[in-house]
Amino acid sequence: MPVALAYEDGTIRIDGRHDSLDGLPFVERDDRTDTYRAPAYRYPDLRAHLETFDVPVEDSVPDWERISVRSDYVLRDYQRDALDAWTDARRRGVVELPTGSGKTVLGIKAIESVDQSALVVVPTVDLLVQWRDELDAEFDCDVGQLGGGTQELEPVTVSTYDSAYLRADELGDHFGLVVYDECHHLGGEGFREIARFSAAPARLGLTATFERPDHAHETVETLVGDVVYRLSPDDLAGDHLAEYAVKRVDVPLTDEERERYDDAQGTFVEYLRTSNLSFSSGSDYMELVKRSGSDPRAREALLAKQEARRIVSESENKIRELERILDRHRGDRIIVFTASTDLVYRLSERFLLPAITHETNTAERRDFLDAFRDGTYSRIVTANVLDEGVDVPDANVAVVLAGSGSEREFTQRLGRVLRPKDDGGRALLYELVSADTAEENVADRRR
Amino acid sequence: MLTKDLLRVTRAGGGYTPRFTENAALAARVLGVYQGHRGETRGALADALDDLEGEAEDFKLVRGFAKLLDRDAVFETQSAVRPERARELAFREGERLGVVTDAERETALERASETLDTTPDALADALYADLDARQVLVDFDPRWDADALVSQYNLSLAQTALFDAVELRVETSEPRDLVLAVKRLGLLYEIEKTENGRVVVLTGPDAVFRKTRRYGTRFARLLRSVVNAEEFRVEATIDDRGTERTMVLTDDDPLRPPGVEPVVDVSYDSDVERDFATRFESLDLDWALEREPDFLDAGDHVMIPDFAFTHRYGDVRVYFEIMGFWTPEYVEKKLAQLDATEENLVVAVDESLGVGEDIEARDHRVVTYAGTVRVKDVVDVLRDHEADIVADAAADLPDELTPDDDVLDLDAYADRLGVPVDAVEDRAFPEHELVGRTLVRPAVLETLADDIDAGQSLDEAEDALDDYGLTDASAVLARLGYRVEWDGLTGGTVREK
C-alpha cells in the first residue's frame, strides 16, 4: 500500500502505514487524525527517507509550479562563489555577505537557477518595495506582494516577515524556493514558524550579521541550512566598499534640560535602589514594564526613565549641532538617524527634510527613496527604519542622534554609508552623544 | 480583543485568572473623555486619557476601555493644504536652498506657499496634519454605554488571555455551534471522556510536534461563539512566558457579550427532526430523548448525533441520527463517521439515498423513511435493546421476591427496585398472590372474603377494597368468586359468579 503525503496547515500529513516511519525522529503519530505527521520543513528529508526504503508514494504536497525567468545581472566573483556553494549544498543554507555587497542580486540569481515558484521574505516595508521593484524590472512575470497594505500572491512573491508569519499555514506548499533576506530574523520565536511551516526543498538565507548573542542562529541553521559561504566587510573594504570614519561629538544638555534630566533620572534611580532591579540586563527592563502594570511606583519610574531618554535624544543642543553639520556638509549626501519618530518630524519640520518613519505610506516612502537615489534630494531623515538592507546608494555622511546600544544595529547603520563614492572620498559617520548621561555608556559599550 | 500589553491577569495560587471588572464608573469617565474631545486632536485625547490613567486603579483598565471605544471614533486630517502636497513642495524648496537656518526655512516656506496660493504658516501647519496624533476627532458615536462597555471589556480581556493558549478543553451545551466554529477556524479536536461527560480538546495541526501559541488568536475567536451557550466551561493551558498555567472560564464569569442573551431554546436542523421529537415524546416510553447529546469520536472527525435515547433503568444509551437527502459528499462523510464510531447507533435513512446496506455493513441499525420517520420503526429497535435490559435486570433479581407490603402494585414494585416491570413479572412471590397487576397477601384476601357478600352494592365493596389500597375492583372480586351486575353506567350490585 502506498504512503500518501499531503500538506496540511504547516505539516505533512502521512496517510498509510510503513514500519520505518515509527522510528523516524521527525515523524510523530497523530491520533487526532489517525495519521502520521511531520513538520513541513522536513518534507525533503521525508521524501529521501521513503526513497531509501522504496516505499511507493502518492505525493500531493508540491503546489508550486515551474517558472522560467532570466535577469540581466552578471555576478561578481564572490557572488558566483556564494551561489555555487549554495547549489552544492543541495540548495539549502545561509550566505553571509556585508551590507552593500549585492545580496539582492544573489537572491535573484538563485530564483533563476531553481526555476520554481519562489517566495522572498524581507523584514521591512522598505525592503519589500525595493525587492519588488527589482523583481518587476528583471523578470518577465507578475510579482506578488504580501505586506505594505497589499496581499497579492503570484508565482514570484515578496512578503514581509509579518505577513509570511500570519499566513504561514497556508503559504507553506506554494513555493519550491524561499529566500529569507536578513535571515537572522528567523531566529525569533514567532518568525521561525515561517520556515518550519514551509515545505520548500530549496531555501536560501541572506544576512550581513548571522550570529546572534542568543544563539538563535542555530535554529536558523536547522531550518534553512548551515552557512555555506561567508565574507566579512574587511574582505571587501577598499574593493567594493568605501572607507569610513566615525566622529563622536559630545553635546551638553542645556541647563533646563539638565535639571529635568537629573530629576527624572533621580526618580528612576531611587526606585532601583529600593527595588532589587539592577538594569544590567534587558530582562530587568521587561520586569519593570511588567511591574508597572500593578505597582504605581514602578510605573512612575518607567515613565521617568522614558522622559530622561526623551530629553537626551531630543536635546536642543543636538539640534544645534545637527545644524552645524548640515551647514558644513552642504552639497554632500546626508542621512540623519534618530531614536524616536517624534524627533524625525521635528527635524523634518525644522529643516524641511524628507522624512521616513514606520508611519510613512508605501508610495511616499518610495518617492522619497527614489528621489534620494536620483539626487533630487540630498538629505533625508529617518527613525531607524532604514536599518537593514535598504539600498540607499552614495550617501557619504550619516548622523546618528541617540541610538540604542545594540552592536548589530550599529554595524548595519555603518553599512548604510559604506558606499563607493565617485570622488573616492571617505564616508563620515557622526554620532551625537549627550555628555554626562546614561547615553554615554551606551555609546561606549559598542566600541 | 485588546492588545497583549493591556492584558490584566492574576496568578494567585499558581492560577491564571483574567481580572474582570465591574467598574462602570470608570468606563463612564473614559466614555466622557472621548465625548468631550470631539473636534480636538488625537494627541489631546491621548493626553487626557493619560491623566485619567494616573488617577485610576490600573492604567491598563483605562487603556483597555479606550482601545474598545477607538473603534467608534472617527478621526480626520484637517488642513488647508493636502499634507502630501505640502511636503512635496516644502521639501523641494528646502532642498533647493539647503535649509539650515531659520531664515532659510522661512524663505523656502514662502516660495512653496506661493505655488499653492496659501500662507507660509498654513503650509507649515499642513506638513504633518495627517500624522495620527494630529488628526482630529470628528465623530464619536459609541455603540456601548458604560455597562455594555464593561461587558465587552471583560469578554475582550478573556480573549486576549487566550492569545497565549496552547490548548483548549471545552464543554458546552451547544456542541454543534462549537464544532461549526472549530471547523471554520481550522482547528483539530480530540474527544476525551471524563467523569463529567465528554470534553473537546482543541489544538492545531502543528501541536503534535510541540506546544505552540500559534492557535491562540483562533482560540480567542472561538470564545466569542462559545460564550453564547447557556452552559459552558473552557479550560485553557496558557504558555505564560514559558510557565504553563491553567485558566478556567465558565458561564459564571461575566463573559456574555453586551446585548446578547444565551441561546436557551432547542433549535432543530430540520422539520424531520422536530417532527420526530414531538411524536416520540408524546409516547410514554421508558426512554428519555436528548437532543444533540454528545460528541462521538469518529476517527478524523467528531460526530454529534441528532438524538440519544437513554433508558430509565438500564445503563443503555442509543444514539439516533437522521440522514436526510443531501449531497454525495455528505453521505460519504457520514458513512466514514459511522465507520469510525463504536457506539450503538440507529440511523434513519431517506429511502432515496439507497445507502441502508452500507450502514448495516457497519454494524449499525437502519430504518428507512420517506417524508417522515415512523416512530414505530425506531421503537422496534429500542424494544430489542429493552429485551437486553430486561435480561440484564432480571439476572440481578433473586428468583423469589418477598416484599413487606400486604398489597403492592406490580409496576410500583418494579419502579422501587429500579428494573423494568417485565423483569419482576416472571419471578415467584411465595408470600403473595398476583391478582390482576397487584400483589396481595392471602390473609388480606381471606378478610375481604368475610367483608364482602353477594347482594352488596358495588360502592360498599369498593370501600372495603380501598381500605387495603386495592384499586382494581373487578380483578379482586373475580378472585373472590363474584361478578358485578351493572346498573346504569356506574352503579352495580355484587353477585355470585
Side-chain angles (χ1 to χ4, degrees):
Chain A
M1 186 182 139
V3 162
L5 306 184
Y7 180 83
E8 193 173 275
D9 288 349
T11 67
I12 306 296
R13 176 188 166 125
I14 311 166
D15 278 288
R17 291 193 97 94
H18 189 266
D19 288 345
S20 72
L21 289 174
D22 285 313
L24 273 186
F26 57 84
V27 169
E28 294 288 338
R29 183 81 203 142
D30 191 344
D31 292 329
R32 300 169 302 177
T33 46
D34 201 20
T35 60
Y36 289 98
R37 221 179 265 281
Y41 81 99
R42 289 294 208 162
Y43 166 69
D45 305 323
L46 182 63
R47 281 301 306 257
H49 169 85
L50 293 171
E51 229 159 84
T52 316
F53 283 82
D54 275 333
V55 184
V57 174
E58 279 172 16
D59 188 351
S60 62
V61 173
D63 201 19
W64 48 83
E65 52 188 274
R66 286 201 73 76
I67 57 168
S68 187
V69 288
R70 290 292 171 267
S71 75
D72 296 332
Y73 279 116
V74 177
L75 293 176
R76 298 178 195 159
D77 291 346
Y78 63 87
Q79 291 170 329
R80 164 61 52 202
D81 292 346
L83 187 63
D84 288 347
W86 177 73
T87 308
D88 290 346
R90 291 178 303 137
R91 293 188 163 132
R92 293 186 218 174
V94 174
V95 172
E96 184 175 345
L97 289 175
T99 307
S101 56
K103 289 196 293 289
T104 313
V105 175
L106 191 62
I108 288 173
K109 282 291 175 188
I111 296 172
E112 284 179 43
S113 80
V114 173
D115 265 352
Q116 277 169 344
S117 313
L119 177 69
V120 180
V121 191
V122 301
T124 62
V125 174
D126 297 286
L127 278 165
L128 186 76
V129 172
Q130 185 180 313
W131 269 93
R132 198 195 153 148
D133 287 351
E134 197 71 47
L135 292 169
D136 263 334
E138 290 301 321
F139 290 165
D140 185 21
C141 70
D142 288 333
V143 177
Q145 177 179 333
L146 309 177
T150 306
Q151 295 285 319
E152 300 162 349
L153 204 55
E154 298 289 346
V156 176
T157 294
V158 189
S159 171
T160 58
Y161 276 85
D162 286 325
S163 285
Y165 167 74
L166 290 171
R167 299 182 62 174
D169 333 49
E170 154 213 1
L171 292 175
D173 59 344
H174 277 44
F175 302 97
L177 164 67
V178 182
V179 178
Y180 300 99
D181 195 10
E182 308 293 345
C183 68
H184 46 271
H185 286 277
L186 275 183
E189 206 217 321
F191 287 161
R192 70 183 57 166
E193 287 188 4
I194 301 168
R196 265 181 61 81
F197 282 21
S198 166
R203 306 144 198 186
L204 172 61
L206 299 172
T207 181
T209 44
F210 186 51
E211 284 183 19
R212 310 218 312 184
D214 59 1
H215 295 279
H217 57 274
E218 290 163 14
T219 311
V220 182
E221 283 173 334
T222 315
L223 295 170
V224 180
D226 295 340
V227 174
V228 293
Y229 189 85
R230 174 178 278 148
L231 209 59
S232 72
D234 290 344
D235 294 332
L236 281 182
D239 185 359
H240 297 283
L241 303 176
E243 297 277 323
Y244 61 89
V246 182
K247 286 192 176 181
R248 177 171 156 174
V249 185
D250 287 337
V251 185
L253 296 176
T254 64
D255 291 346
E256 185 262 346
E257 285 168 350
R258 165 62 61 190
E259 202 173 304
R260 283 193 294 133
Y261 175 83
D262 287 345
D263 194 35
Q265 187 71 11
T267 305
F268 174 68
V269 171
E270 176 61 20
Y271 177 79
L272 288 197
R273 212 176 50 74
T274 54
S275 66
N276 39 25
L277 297 179
S278 66
F279 259 64
S280 53
S281 74
S283 63
D284 277 355
Y285 186 75
M286 287 312 299
E287 176 61 25
L288 179 63
V289 171
K290 200 171 119 189
R291 288 188 193 179
S292 72
S294 50
D295 175 0
R297 281 193 62 236
R299 178 166 158 74
E300 198 191 347
L302 183 68
L303 291 177
K305 181 71 196 163
Q306 286 165 354
E307 170 71 1
R309 264 192 207 145
R310 209 179 51 75
I311 293 167
V312 166
S313 70
E314 299 183 5
S315 154
E316 202 52 46
N317 284 339
K318 280 195 185 163
I319 294 171
R320 296 241 173 74
E321 185 59 36
L322 177 63
E323 205 176 304
R324 275 191 281 277
I325 293 170
L326 290 177
D327 196 29
R328 192 178 312 146
H329 289 279
R330 286 179 192 264
D332 278 329
R333 304 179 50 72
I334 307 168
I335 301 180
V336 181
F337 293 104
T338 77
S340 77
T341 47
D342 280 354
L343 185 56
V344 170
Y345 293 126
R346 265 181 70 193
L347 297 179
S348 172
E349 288 183 305
R350 168 64 185 79
F351 297 107
L352 301 181
L353 302 174
I356 297 181
T357 72
H358 61 92
E359 288 177 271
T360 311
N361 69 49
T362 311
E364 198 170 13
R365 92 177 37 216
R366 187 197 304 241
D367 287 348
F368 286 162
L369 282 172
D370 284 350
F372 188 78
R373 272 185 213 120
D374 71 18
T376 309
Y377 291 135
S378 61
R379 315 182 300 182
I380 202 161
V381 58
T382 178
N384 299 0
V385 292
L386 295 185
D387 279 352
E388 280 177 325
V390 171
D391 191 19
V392 184
D394 293 343
N396 63 312
V397 177
V399 187
V400 179
L401 280 81
S404 75
S406 142
E407 185 73 23
R408 206 166 55 77
E409 210 177 333
F410 193 65
T411 55
Q412 294 274 13
R413 279 193 194 152
L414 274 177
R416 190 67 46 247
V417 286
L418 294 180
R419 303 287 169 173
K421 279 194 72 191
D422 291 342
D423 63 5
R426 283 202 314 176
L428 256 181
L429 182 124
Y430 288 93
E431 200 184 356
L432 307 192
V433 180
S434 293
D436 299 325
T437 66
E439 195 182 23
E440 261 186 317
N441 307 332
V442 168
D444 286 339
R445 209 187 301 160
R446 60 181 161 223
R447 253 139 239 278
Chain B
M1 289 180 258
L2 307 172
T3 44
K4 240 160 81 174
D5 58 311
L6 299 182
L7 183 63
R8 298 163 62 241
V9 292
T10 45
R11 297 175 175 80
Y16 198 79
T17 315
R19 288 166 56 197
F20 296 121
T21 185
E22 295 176 356
N23 196 341
L26 183 60
R29 290 186 70 187
V30 179
L31 263 164
V33 169
Y34 272 80
Q35 274 156 346
H37 279 77
R38 289 197 186 96
E40 298 193 41
T41 64
R42 198 194 302 260
L45 172 66
D47 288 345
L49 289 171
D50 271 350
D51 290 345
L52 192 52
E53 278 171 24
E55 303 166 32
E57 46 168 317
D58 185 343
F59 73 95
K60 286 186 184 175
L61 188 55
V62 175
R63 289 193 192 180
F65 286 143
K67 179 93 187 165
L68 295 171
L69 291 177
D70 251 352
R71 298 182 198 171
D72 293 323
V74 182
F75 294 92
E76 242 174 41
T77 299
Q78 291 189 341
S79 64
V81 184
R82 201 164 54 81
E84 285 192 18
R85 181 81 180 125
R87 289 196 284 270
E88 193 187 346
L89 286 169
F91 296 159
R92 300 259 157 162
E93 288 303 330
E95 174 72 27
R96 200 159 294 157
L97 287 170
V99 168
V100 172
T101 65
D102 281 328
E104 286 167 334
R105 178 176 189 268
E106 289 311 314
T107 313
L109 285 174
E110 252 164 54
R111 288 186 190 167
S113 60
E114 278 163 18
T115 350
L116 289 172
D117 197 21
T118 185
T119 65
D121 284 350
L123 183 72
D125 286 344
L127 274 183
Y128 285 111
D130 55 347
L131 284 185
D132 275 355
R134 300 189 196 175
Q135 289 188 324
V136 175
L137 178 63
V138 291
D139 194 17
F140 178 64
D141 181 15
R143 70 191 85 177
W144 298 302
D145 60 14
D147 288 328
L149 180 58
V150 167
S151 301
Q152 181 62 42
Y153 174 84
N154 287 332
L155 175 59
S156 300
L157 185 68
Q159 288 182 298
T160 306
L162 285 175
F163 287 169
D164 286 332
V166 296
E167 183 185 285
L168 230 57
R169 304 163 62 82
V170 185
E171 294 159 75
T172 169
S173 56
E174 295 292 327
R176 192 154 295 206
D177 290 351
L178 174 66
V179 168
L180 283 176
V182 164
K183 281 187 182 152
R184 199 177 58 235
L185 293 166
L187 296 165
L188 288 180
Y189 32 45
E190 279 169 290
I191 309 300
E192 215 170 81
K193 291 186 192 177
T194 69
E195 283 174 14
N196 304 323
R198 294 175 205 240
V199 179
V200 184
V201 184
L202 296 171
T203 47
D206 197 42
V208 73
F209 306 112
R210 54 208 270 278
K211 300 211 163 177
T212 170
R213 290 179 301 196
R214 179 160 194 94
Y215 306 109
T217 46
R218 295 188 216 182
F219 293 152
R221 285 163 65 195
L222 187 81
L223 185 68
R224 190 71 180 72
S225 61
V226 168
V227 297
N228 289 329
E230 193 187 9
E231 291 171 32
F232 67 87
R233 183 176 191 278
V234 175
E235 189 181 309
T237 308
I238 306 285
D239 176 355
D240 181 22
R241 298 193 196 97
T243 308
E244 249 182 41
R245 298 184 197 276
T246 303
M247 175 172 75
V248 176
L249 304 169
T250 72
D251 45 80
D252 286 337
D253 290 318
L255 288 169
R256 303 278 182 220
V260 177
E261 291 303 315
V263 182
V264 181
D265 277 351
V266 176
S267 60
Y268 289 95
D269 284 353
S270 74
D271 291 343
V272 182
E273 283 175 31
R274 180 199 308 276
D275 177 67
F276 176 82
T278 313
R279 283 182 297 130
F280 186 90
E281 277 168 343
S282 71
L283 303 175
D284 190 19
L285 300 175
D286 282 342
W287 296 88
L289 183 73
E290 229 182 297
R291 190 181 133 63
E292 292 182 3
D294 261 337
F295 303 96
L296 301 188
D297 200 351
D300 207 343
H301 295 278
V302 73
M303 179 178 177
I304 302 173
D306 295 320
F307 300 103
F309 305 105
T310 315
H311 197 270
R312 282 170 66 191
Y313 304 119
D315 187 17
V316 174
R317 204 162 161 77
V318 178
Y319 295 101
F320 181 46
E321 173 80 6
I322 300 179
M323 254 168 98
F325 182 72
W326 207 244
T327 61
E329 292 78 30
Y330 170 81
V331 173
E332 186 76 13
K333 196 184 100 193
K334 277 283 173 211
L335 288 178
Q337 290 183 351
L338 293 175
D339 217 11
T341 186
E342 286 162 5
E343 308 286 343
N344 286 326
L345 257 162
V346 185
V347 187
V349 192
D350 189 295
E351 278 175 356
S352 57
L353 288 179
V355 291
E357 287 177 13
D358 290 326
I359 295 171
E360 275 171 347
R362 288 166 169 82
D363 288 338
H364 298 295
R365 295 288 298 265
V366 173
V367 297
T368 55
Y369 75 94
T372 55
V373 180
R374 282 183 301 272
V375 176
K376 180 181 174 301
D377 292 348
V378 179
V379 171
D380 284 347
V381 176
L382 293 177
R383 289 268 184 249
D384 289 350
H385 286 288
E386 230 160 33
D388 295 341
I389 296 167
V390 171
D392 287 351
D396 294 339
L397 285 181
D399 291 340
E400 295 189 344
L401 296 172
T402 54
D404 290 340
D405 315 61
D406 291 338
V407 171
L408 181 59
D409 182 74
L410 203 58
D411 289 307
Y413 187 36
D415 237 14
R416 186 192 297 169
L417 295 175
V419 299
V421 72
D422 305 24
V424 183
E425 260 169 352
D426 58 352
R427 298 289 113 156
F429 298 97
E431 294 177 9
H432 293 78
E433 187 176 327
L434 187 63
V435 181
R437 305 279 300 160
T438 313
L439 296 166
V440 190
R441 282 192 194 275
V444 173
L445 290 173
E446 278 164 31
T447 317
L448 283 172
D450 292 343
D451 289 354
I452 296 172
D453 296 308
Q456 268 182 336
S457 76
L458 180 59
D459 279 351
E460 283 174 310
E462 282 184 337
D463 282 347
L465 296 177
D466 261 359
D467 290 343
Y468 293 99
L470 285 161
T471 51
D472 190 355
S474 53
V476 181
L477 289 173
R479 160 67 182 74
L480 296 174
Y482 299 105
R483 64 184 174 86
V484 177
E485 185 182 273
W486 293 99
D487 172 23
L489 282 177
T490 52
T493 310
V494 177
R495 300 287 181 206
E496 300 266 1
K497 263 211 267 200

